Amino acid sequence: MTGTAERTQSLPAMVAIASIISVAFAGSVVVTPLYSLYQQKFGFSEITLTLVYAVYVVGNVIALLLLGQVSDQIGRKRVAMPALVLAALSALLFLLATGTTFLFLARLLIGLAVGVASGTGTAWLADEFGPANRSTATVSAAAANLGGIALGPLLGGLLAEYAPWPLELPFIVYIAILAVVAIALSPVSGSRPAGVASVKDVRVRPRVGVPRELYGAFAAPAVTGFVTFALGGLYFALIPGVVIRDLHNTNLAVGGAVVSELAAIAAAVIVLGRRLSPAVAMTSGLVLLLPAVGLVVAAQAAGSMVLLLIATAVGGVTMALGYRGSLQVVNEIAPDDRRAEVTSSYFIACFVGNSVPVIGLGVLSTLTQPLTGTIVFAGTIAALSGTALVWRRAI
């Protein structure tokens, strides 16, 4: 492996660093198969459901704007550990939820946790693999991200369907997993020396951390991340509901497994396609986005599980190529002293794409019909994908 000589940590330490990303993203989707149970328990609408899901992006953006550059200043580990605590607090709120206020607060906290962990963990891996192995670092970070997204809904769906306490046990197990990751991370040395003399000197003012000279190069991967994560948002927020309502399958584990399929295929494709150039990966992901959303519409219209599974497989390939390609470009263009800041800015684009289009879909689905909302969503994402393709070629 080309990156072995550059590593400054042992393999277990590298796995622990990658696990920060994985476990944070798992926490963002462990609730995905449980939304229908919360709707039944608290009696809220589809619009409220999408708002509960999408408030996550508020936490993401707050974390990335205010805290994205902090690990560049005080070190990666000092930022990663509090991110795990935030994820545990989010799970605790879900565990104790007595109304939608708890759900909103829990989603806000997991958004903060993911925002901090994703930028910090990705930058930490890039540090450890070294400048000559940015590609390996990118593959590792992206696979960790999608591996966590594959684990979360599968864990939540299986426990909710086949174990007692469907709205409690998934979060108890998740908190235990967080504890294991924290223990594994505790002996790992920080990758960067503190860049400030004291805590009072830490800079936390809001800023988008992209140097002016990189605006043009940064735009194409940012737009690609937006549309790729918009597809993910459709699955993470609403596909389990589609399985229940339109495919007439009420097994919570099935809805969770469909979402897990998306992320598992994406993780596998990221590893298998790691030799593809970033430009080819981004372009391929954007092109495949069109049939992916088209197949989702067809599956919903026909009430076909077979079509949905095919759509999910295509969507998984789309997410892998679009995400890995765009993230690798960001890792390659980011200056070492602003790496977490630039990476965090990229993730802002991803997280906004992950949430904002889903709100529009929820509103349309409530005001019209769910299928109509999905058709409009698919058309919008297709148009944005075409824009991203044109933008990439123009740069």
Side-chain angles (χ1 to χ4, degrees):
M1 187 181 206
T2 58
T4 303
E6 299 259 350
R7 289 178 186 164
T8 62
Q9 306 276 6
S10 66
L11 181 59
M14 298 292 281
V15 171
I17 294 168
S19 295
I20 301 165
I21 303 170
S22 186
V23 76
F25 277 100
S28 73
V29 289
V30 70
V31 69
T32 293
L34 311 180
Y35 283 132
S36 60
L37 296 181
Y38 283 119
Q39 278 187 293
Q40 294 171 21
K41 183 176 181 180
F42 300 137
F44 54 81
S45 67
E46 194 83 355
I47 294 176
T48 301
L49 174 97
T50 56
L51 290 175
V52 166
Y53 172 80
V55 74
Y56 164 80
V57 79
V58 177
N60 293 152
V61 173
I62 290 172
L64 293 171
L65 281 178
L66 293 178
L67 305 175
Q69 70 271 40
V70 171
S71 76
D72 286 332
Q73 301 172 67
I74 67 172
R76 312 300 187 203
K77 187 175 179 179
R78 290 183 181 180
V79 175
M81 284 298 199
L84 298 179
V85 174
L86 285 173
L89 290 174
S90 169
L92 190 61
L93 284 172
F94 276 121
L95 181 63
L96 302 175
T98 58
T100 55
T101 300
F102 280 77
L103 304 185
F104 278 110
L105 290 174
R107 288 293 293 171
L108 181 65
L109 282 182
I110 194 61
L112 284 167
V114 170
V116 173
S118 58
T120 299
T122 300
W124 198 346
L125 285 174
D127 293 340
E128 300 305 338
F129 278 105
N133 296 288
R134 293 292 186 232
S135 176
T136 304
T138 300
V139 170
S140 300
N145 175 332
L146 292 164
I149 292 174
L151 172 65
L154 190 62
L155 176 69
L158 288 172
L159 291 176
E161 185 66 32
Y162 298 115
W165 316 313
L167 290 178
E168 292 84 20
L169 190 59
F171 301 108
I172 294 173
V173 172
Y174 178 66
I175 290 171
I177 294 172
L178 285 169
V180 170
V181 172
I183 292 169
L185 193 64
S186 59
V188 178
S189 60
S191 65
R192 292 179 66 87
V196 294
S198 64
V199 174
K200 68 179 181 180
D201 296 323
V202 172
R203 182 186 63 211
V204 293
R205 64 181 182 274
R207 59 185 290 178
V208 176
V210 181
R212 184 178 298 275
E213 63 272 16
L214 296 181
Y215 282 0
F218 181 80
V223 175
T224 302
F226 180 95
V227 296
T228 300
F229 273 65
L231 175 64
L234 170 64
Y235 273 82
F236 307 147
L238 299 175
I239 285 297
V242 170
V243 170
I244 293 171
R245 183 188 59 244
D246 299 303
L247 276 61
H248 311 293
N249 190 322
T250 58
N251 188 312
L252 297 176
V254 171
V258 171
V259 178
S260 181
E261 178 200 351
L262 179 82
I265 288 176
V269 171
I270 280 178
V271 175
L272 295 174
R274 62 188 179 276
R275 297 188 184 278
L276 286 176
S277 71
V280 170
M282 278 201 300
T283 300
S284 300
L286 290 168
V287 170
L288 286 173
L289 194 62
L290 307 181
V293 293
L295 284 166
V296 170
V297 171
Q300 188 173 353
S304 171
M305 179 62 75
V306 172
L307 277 178
L308 182 60
L309 293 176
I310 294 171
T312 304
V314 176
V317 177
T318 298
M319 285 195 69
L321 296 176
Y323 174 48
R324 196 276 289 176
S326 57
L327 179 58
Q328 185 172 339
V329 169
V330 170
N331 259 338
E332 290 177 350
I333 66 175
D336 284 341
D337 61 343
R338 298 184 65 181
R339 184 166 309 283
E341 205 174 329
V342 173
T343 303
S344 295
S345 300
Y346 165 79
F347 279 117
I348 288 175
C350 293
F351 294 142
V352 171
N354 186 242
S355 298
V356 172
V358 171
I359 296 175
L361 175 54
V363 172
L364 280 173
S365 297
T366 301
L367 297 179
T368 57
Q369 297 292 328
L371 180 59
T372 302
T374 306
I375 291 172
V376 174
F377 174 89
T380 303
I381 294 305
L384 289 171
S385 177
T387 301
L389 281 168
V390 173
W391 203 332
R392 191 196 69 76
R393 291 188 177 187
I395 294 175

